[in-house]
Amino acid sequence: MTSSTTPPCEGAGIRCERTPDGGCHVEVRCILRTDRRVVDIARQVRDEVKDAVTAHLAQHRKVVPVLVTVTVTRIV
């Protein structure tokens, strides 16, 4: 890593993998601010990610089950 490279935020990220039944599992790890209600934000993130992944797959004529899990790794 060079001095001009910004490292990724520790504890936050997205991972996507195929499930054994041919579906898609998306894991979202996020860091939230203390002034936000965790359960509301986690639900919003889950719904928006699922909608976006489903729409992207539909553009490629792939209709598969999409499972999204959201984990809050830290509150700052």
Side-chain angles (χ1 to χ4, degrees):
M1 181 180 312
T2 66
S3 61
S4 64
T5 304
T6 304
C9 190
E10 186 177 320
I14 298 174
R15 182 173 60 192
C16 184
E17 60 189 11
R18 294 266 181 189
T19 60
D21 65 351
C24 182
H25 176 225
V26 181
E27 177 188 353
V28 180
R29 294 178 317 280
C30 54
I31 299 169
L32 300 181
R33 295 188 336 217
T34 57
D35 64 340
R36 305 298 300 264
R37 199 164 160 228
V38 172
V39 69
D40 292 339
I41 300 303
R43 286 179 181 153
Q44 180 182 355
V45 168
R46 181 195 62 204
D47 293 345
E48 290 182 11
V49 169
K50 185 172 183 175
D51 290 348
V53 171
T54 301
H56 175 76
L57 292 171
Q59 288 178 346
H60 297 282
R61 297 189 173 133
K62 295 182 181 181
V63 178
V64 299
V66 176
L67 172 67
V68 178
T69 56
V70 176
T71 303
V72 176
T73 58
R74 189 170 19 154
I75 299 175
V76 294

